[in-house]
Each structure stands twice: as structure tokens, then as C-alpha cells.
Amino acid sequence: MTPTITAFERSPDGGQGLARDTRVRWAFEEVGQPYNVRLVSFSAMKEPAHKAVHPFGQIPTYEEGDLVLFESGAIVFHIAERHEGLLPTEANARARAITWMFAALNTVEPPILDRATTWISEQKEPWCEQRLRLVDDRIRSRLDDLSARLGNADWLDGEFSAGDLMMVSVLIRLRSSRILDEYPNLSAYVARGEGRPAYKRAFAAQLAINAGKPPA
């Protein structure tokens, strides 16, 4: 049975790869598995039918027979567990790749999302500029450590894995802030991720929806 995922009918970023369904699309492309897409509007996301699939009324979701998943990290992990290409076969390397998935979502992403929320929702507040400086300092603290760990390597732990997929997806969110430009090795790391054929296919699929083309 071909899985079905949900995506924005119209993404807030206009299809530039920031919506979390891009991560799931990328994972499917990396492992060479087909998938279907069901588009949902912002209003439909809050309706009981969608909230029965995603309790918090967000995207993406994953449906395959009786299995229903939500949260992009959980979905990518499920895909990586079921298909070759995103997790190493050696047990310790596999465990480390999974650790990097958690690090991307639990350690690196929170201050980046905090910055986005501050900029979108609080930019008219008199204290916004000061708050942004504090948030940016938190982001740089995380990037300092990540940059030191990556060093001159292409990927976080040997070959490309689901850990890199999640980390690159998180770091892409920093593009508009220009903070990533301060870390040449991380900028190159993100560029390598975006340069992968699987990422390009995932990005093009999301962009096509926002250009008014039906999902393939």
C-alpha cells in the first residue's frame, strides 16, 4: 500500500522547503519509495477529521493502512527504519544516526523556531529587537558546537543518514537570518544536503503545489 502524507494546500513559505512535509518527501526520495499527497487548507487542518489524524491540527501526517503517524521526525524515522538508505546497518552507527535526528529536533531547532516566532508574531513590540539578540545568541551557541563537531567532514557521522537529513532541514530555516553565513562549514554542509538529487526532487514537488500544479 502506498503511504499518503498531508501537506499545505498553500505553504506559508510559498514552497521554499521550510514546511515540514519537505523532510518527509526527502526521506521518501532518498529510499526510493512512492507516496501520495493529500493537500489540506489551514481551515481544514483545524477540523475534526484532520485532528483525528494529527491531534494538534498540523502537517505532515502519514497514513498507511491502519497506521497513522504525525510529527515529521517520527515519520522520517519510520521511513528510515523500514527502508534501506537512511540508517546504517551497523548497530552503533545506526544508534548514532538516530541520536543526530533527536539532536536536530530537540537541541538545534528550538531556538531557531523561537526566532521565527519572535519575528513573525512580536516584531511590532518595543522589546522585539532585544529579544531577537538574545535568541540569536542562543542559536549561535548551538551552531558553535555543531560547527566544531562537523569540522571538515561532509556529514555528521560518516555517510549521509537520516540524522543529516533532519539537521539540514532544520538549518535551512536560518537562511533568511544570514546567521548561517557566519559558519562556512555549516553553510557548505547545508549546500551538500540541498544538492542531493533526492532533496531536489522533494523540493520541486513541494514547489510545484505552490505554483498551482497538482502533486505527482
Side-chain angles (χ1 to χ4, degrees):
M1 182 176 295
T2 302
T4 297
I5 67 170
T6 49
F8 287 124
E9 186 177 74
R10 283 292 178 268
S11 180
D13 73 336
Q16 295 304 305
L18 302 185
R20 287 179 174 83
D21 65 286
T22 306
R23 304 170 180 181
V24 177
R25 295 172 184 273
W26 187 3
F28 275 124
E29 296 291 349
E30 287 285 352
V31 299
Q33 293 297 314
Y35 61 98
N36 296 319
V37 180
R38 184 174 71 253
L39 303 180
V40 292
S41 65
F42 283 104
S43 59
M45 287 166 58
K46 305 305 177 184
E47 294 294 328
H50 185 73
K51 294 193 77 171
V53 181
H54 196 309
F56 305 104
Q58 298 176 319
I59 61 99
T61 60
Y62 174 108
E63 298 173 74
E64 185 179 12
D66 295 333
L67 177 63
V68 177
L69 300 174
F70 61 96
E71 292 295 332
S72 62
I75 297 170
V76 170
F77 179 65
H78 176 71
I79 295 169
E81 283 271 273
R82 291 189 61 191
H83 306 286
E84 293 183 1
L86 282 174
L87 289 175
T89 55
E90 195 276 320
N92 288 347
R94 191 181 188 90
R96 290 194 299 270
I98 294 169
T99 297
W100 279 114
M101 291 182 67
F102 279 85
L105 296 175
N106 294 343
T107 302
V108 179
E109 187 169 45
I112 294 174
L113 292 182
D114 195 12
R115 188 185 203 282
T117 301
T118 300
W119 178 251
I120 293 170
S121 304
E122 304 170 9
Q123 61 178 295
K124 294 183 180 180
E125 301 294 340
W127 35 260
C128 180
E129 185 175 343
Q130 181 180 5
R131 176 161 165 70
L132 276 176
R133 284 199 298 269
L134 294 174
V135 172
D136 287 351
D137 285 345
R138 289 172 52 213
I139 292 172
R140 289 186 175 94
S141 177
R142 296 303 189 198
L143 297 189
D144 287 346
D145 293 336
L146 182 62
S147 176
R149 180 55 183 263
L150 179 65
N152 295 322
D154 285 345
W155 308 113
L156 291 168
D157 192 79
E159 298 298 317
F160 177 86
S161 75
D164 295 295
L165 186 153
M166 296 306 298
M167 189 66 76
V168 169
S169 296
V170 165
L171 294 178
I172 285 172
R173 290 178 169 271
L174 281 174
R175 180 176 287 114
S176 63
S177 73
R178 312 298 294 181
I179 294 175
L180 201 62
D181 295 346
E182 301 169 19
Y183 300 85
N185 67 332
L186 295 182
S187 294
Y189 172 65
V190 170
R192 279 191 293 276
E194 292 178 306
R196 293 179 69 83
Y199 177 84
K200 291 180 179 180
R201 291 193 296 270
F203 182 91
Q206 197 213 36
L207 183 61
I209 291 172
N210 289 272
K213 301 177 182 178

